[in-house]
Amino acid sequence: MSMIVSSLLPLFLTGLDLTPASVPVEAPATAARDLPSPKVILAQAPASIKPATPPAVASPDRASIIDRAGKALGGVKTAQGKFTQSDDLGGASSGAFYINRPGKVRFEYTKPEPMFIVSDGVSVSIEEPRRDAYDAVPLASTPLNLFLRGTVDLRRDGSVVDVKSTNGSHFVTLEDRTGEAEGQMVLEFRASDFELLGWTSIDGTGAQTRVRLTETRTNVKLQPTLFIVKDPADAADDRR
């Protein structure tokens, strides 16, 4: 069941291949091979005019990215919006998400069929109404626990194993150092303001699930009932 949650979940909160080995490495901002040949420039301008040298562009260092990513996560107490999800097998799904930190999250899948993934801060449940299926696992055994904690200090907790930057985004790879949650989660932050754009979850077998967030609203009021975990079997027993 833990593997099911790992493959379905990585949802907090795109179609890129973001394994730690395959996430593009940030190219130096002003690598010499990227500059036009001086001969080409001089051939197009009077000899008395020298081509301007582009100024060097400073990029955030690893520690700065980790600190700002942690601060961005910690600054979001509640959030809601839409998500799309895809996997290595070509599967695609979408729906709405709700987050109430610490530990609480709800994903309502509407396509291709209804499904609910809910964390009450202790356990995570998966309910598939059409299949009459239900199961639950501890939150600590899922990748969601890596960034749903009440206090986020990514440098202090040692969960960051890689940082990359490319195409206007920073990619921060997290791994549970306790070994309770298998695999890794690669969070994508927009470089300009560190808004969380989505993530890629990589389970213990290397399979990837990619999630993209849209229409995100942060620090909004959410109903507590969204995060109640209910086993359908208990409801059936109550009706007897």
Side-chain angles (χ1 to χ4, degrees):
M1 186 60 226
S2 178
M3 184 172 294
I4 293 176
V5 174
S6 296
S7 63
L8 288 175
L9 279 190
L11 282 152
F12 170 167
L13 314 221
T14 270
L16 296 176
D17 185 10
L18 300 179
T19 60
S22 63
V23 175
V25 178
E26 181 185 12
T30 55
R33 59 183 175 80
D34 293 331
L35 295 177
S37 167
K39 293 182 179 180
V40 174
I41 296 177
L42 291 175
Q44 299 174 350
S48 61
I49 300 177
K50 295 182 179 180
T53 301
V57 179
S59 59
D61 59 20
R62 175 188 172 94
S64 175
I65 292 174
I66 293 173
D67 286 343
R68 291 191 64 184
K71 184 177 180 180
L73 291 175
V76 176
K77 303 306 179 184
T78 63
Q80 70 177 78
K82 306 294 184 182
F83 72 89
T84 57
Q85 177 180 311
S86 61
D87 58 38
D88 292 339
L89 300 178
S93 53
S94 61
F97 72 88
Y98 306 87
I99 295 167
N100 190 347
R101 301 179 54 249
K104 297 178 181 180
V105 68
R106 179 185 182 91
F107 299 102
E108 296 181 351
Y109 290 76
T110 55
K111 296 179 180 180
E113 63 182 61
M115 182 171 68
F116 303 95
I117 296 177
V118 181
S119 170
D120 61 3
V122 178
S123 62
V124 181
S125 68
I126 299 178
E127 182 181 358
E128 299 177 79
R130 289 187 180 178
R131 292 178 171 80
D132 195 24
Y134 174 88
D135 208 338
V137 296
L139 173 62
S141 68
T142 75
L144 290 171
N145 192 48
L146 291 171
F147 60 89
L148 287 180
R149 290 165 293 189
T151 301
V152 180
D153 190 332
L154 299 180
R155 274 209 290 171
R156 185 178 63 187
D157 66 25
S159 60
V160 178
V161 296
D162 197 17
V163 175
K164 303 292 184 184
S165 300
T166 186
N167 297 330
S169 292
H170 298 306
F171 299 90
V172 179
T173 302
L174 306 181
E175 185 176 272
D176 181 11
R177 293 301 180 91
T178 69
E180 190 167 356
E182 295 183 354
Q184 296 179 330
M185 179 173 281
V186 184
L187 304 179
E188 179 183 357
F189 297 90
R190 185 162 53 211
S192 61
D193 59 5
F194 277 79
E195 179 180 337
L196 183 66
L197 301 179
W199 59 81
T200 293
S201 175
I202 307 167
D203 69 16
T205 69
Q208 299 184 32
T209 302
R210 292 165 290 277
V211 172
R212 189 74 176 177
L213 307 181
T214 58
E215 301 180 35
T216 302
R217 298 168 55 206
T218 60
N219 297 322
V220 295
K221 185 176 181 180
L222 299 176
Q223 294 297 322
T225 53
L226 289 170
F227 310 103
I228 296 177
V229 173
K230 291 184 178 181
D231 186 338
D234 295 336
D237 291 339
D238 293 340
R239 290 194 295 268
R240 293 189 183 123

